[in-house]
Amino acid sequence: MREAYDENPFYALLLFGFALLANVTVMGVLGALMVQTIKKVTEAQEDYKLKLRNYEIMDKFWASIVELDENGDGWVTYEEFLNLLSSTENLMLLKNLGVQVETLI
């Protein structure tokens, strides 16, 4: 810096401005990277919570299916399926899973 100032004070000012601008630019890039990382982590956590919620709903729905299997053969007959759909709780479970219940009926 002193050598630039000794050569010409304007060169020293330009060198100082370049150093200042370079630091601000690098800080901006690092800030943007940090924001993107936080965004990705948040999205991953939301996806994980959604998967857990869907697993819980599927467990409840499967318990309803096993409960409504009247003959215990492990297969759902048409009558058992209609009994399954007659329960509002099961319809809500299906709706929470993203199934369009109206198309099933």
Side-chain angles (χ1 to χ4, degrees), residues 4 9 11 27 33 49-50 52 59 69 72-73 75-76 90 97:
Y11 292 159
M27 286 189 327
L33 286 173
K49 287 179 184 178
L50 182 63
L52 283 180
D59 285 341
D69 187 15
D73 62 353
W75 294 89
V76 177
N90 291 332
L97 286 172

Side-chain angles (χ1 to χ4, degrees), residues 62-86 90:
W62 187 254
S64 296
I65 291 174
V66 170
E67 183 181 310
L68 289 174
D69 187 15
E70 295 169 354
N71 54 4
D73 62 353
W75 294 89
V76 177
T77 62
Y78 182 71
E79 291 80 23
E80 292 169 344
F81 181 71
L82 290 179
N83 287 339
L84 183 73
L85 293 181
S86 66
N90 291 332

Side-chain angles (χ1 to χ4, degrees), residues 4-73:
Y5 184 78
D6 290 341
E7 187 69 34
N8 190 341
F10 184 69
Y11 292 159
L13 183 63
L14 284 177
L15 187 61
F16 179 74
F18 172 75
L20 185 65
L21 183 65
N23 284 328
V24 170
T25 303
V26 169
M27 286 189 327
V29 169
L30 290 176
L33 286 173
M34 193 166 73
V35 167
Q36 285 296 324
T37 303
I38 291 171
K39 180 181 173 187
K40 292 290 182 182
V41 168
T42 303
E43 288 174 355
Q45 287 176 343
E46 288 175 2
D47 287 344
Y48 180 73
K49 287 179 184 178
L50 182 63
K51 284 181 184 178
L52 283 180
R53 183 179 141 281
N54 284 344
Y55 287 144
E56 291 172 2
I57 293 171
M58 282 301 297
D59 285 341
K60 290 178 185 178
F61 187 66
W62 187 254
S64 296
I65 291 174
V66 170
E67 183 181 310
L68 289 174
D69 187 15
E70 295 169 354
N71 54 4
D73 62 353

